[in-house]
Amino acid sequence: MIRNLLGSLVALAGAASAVLSPFRPWYDGRLGRDYRVRDLFEGITLTESGVLVSILLPFLAAAALVVLGAVLRSRLVTAFAGVVVLGFTVLWMVRQGQAAGSLAVSGDGSGLRVGVVNALAGGVLMLIGAALMRGRRNRGAGRGRRREPSGEPFAVPPADQVDTWPPTREPGMSVQTSPWPEPEVDPYTGPDPRAPGDPHPGDPGDPAAGEDPRDPVHPPHRPPPT
């Protein structure tokens, strides 16, 4: 975001310089707005030009492209605006050189003037601003790639980690590998009060097994002698 902001500011400064340049002298005291756009293709003449049909017109279009590129954070649009400014400025220099026989810079006010420098600097600043901008990232495409299913099934968990729930491997429902009900475990009833080795109640070796067939496991207690 910082790079986009910095690049936009540099490009806007270049657009301001390019739009200002036609109002300053370009060659031998003649303002840039006095050159017609058609003169750049047909040859430089001494005919005066209106403001809206002068070299200011492509520079205004380039400035509008810079504003659009800053809003859209588009490096391509901003760079194209810089190419337009530099292209028209270089084309004017070629036509002016053909008309005057040569291009020169003189200290007495003749030759190339500050308006040309403003135009060239504006185009270069637009290109620098486009290079500084990071551009707009395609977030929608990134989200689509992340949500795209891989098409591969989840791997079977190891035998010692069956109580995991894919794909996060967090503890979840138990995995029952048998179709039959799980066997119930007898509740713990405490330690056996009988001595080790004594037969269980109801076993063939238990002497009290035949006293009360109604309850071979828990025979009734005999009343104490009176």
Side-chain angles (χ1 to χ4, degrees):
M1 180 177 180
I2 297 179
R3 290 184 56 182
N4 287 330
L5 179 60
L6 181 60
S8 299
L9 292 177
V10 173
L12 290 174
S17 178
V19 172
L20 179 63
S21 64
F23 297 95
R24 310 193 73 176
W26 275 51
Y27 193 83
D28 202 13
R30 190 178 182 184
L31 300 179
R33 65 185 182 182
D34 294 334
Y35 295 95
R36 298 180 301 177
V37 175
R38 61 182 298 180
D39 291 346
L40 304 180
F41 302 95
E42 298 177 358
I44 300 295
T45 63
L46 298 178
T47 306
E48 297 294 333
S49 173
V51 176
L52 296 181
V53 294
S54 68
I55 199 174
L56 176 64
L57 181 61
F59 288 176
L60 286 176
L65 289 176
V66 169
V67 174
L68 181 62
V71 173
L72 299 179
R73 293 180 291 179
S74 175
R75 303 176 61 183
L76 182 62
V77 174
T78 306
F80 179 72
V83 172
V84 168
V85 172
L86 291 177
F88 275 91
T89 304
V90 172
L91 182 60
W92 172 88
M93 295 175 67
V94 172
R95 292 301 185 183
Q96 183 63 43
Q98 292 175 350
S102 62
L103 291 177
V105 179
S106 178
D108 58 358
S110 62
L112 295 175
R113 300 297 300 276
V114 67
V116 181
V117 177
N118 288 142
L120 293 175
V124 172
L125 287 177
M126 291 179 191
L127 294 179
I128 294 176
L132 290 176
M133 294 174 65
R134 187 174 182 179
R136 172 175 288 183
R137 299 177 61 184
N138 194 355
R139 299 181 179 178
R143 287 197 297 266
R145 287 195 300 269
R146 288 194 298 267
R147 293 180 181 178
E148 199 172 74
S150 61
E152 299 179 358
F154 296 116
V156 179
D160 57 343
Q161 297 180 1
V162 294
D163 278 345
T164 55
W165 195 260
T168 58
R169 301 300 183 192
E170 296 178 354
M173 300 175 60
S174 299
V175 178
Q176 184 175 349
T177 58
S178 174
W180 303 104
E182 295 183 0
E184 297 183 0
V185 181
D186 293 336
Y188 179 72
T189 56
D192 193 352
R194 297 178 292 105
D198 292 347
H200 289 277
D203 291 346
D206 186 10
E211 293 183 359
D212 191 353
R214 293 173 299 175
D215 191 2
V217 178
H218 300 87
H221 297 282
R222 297 181 179 180
T226 57

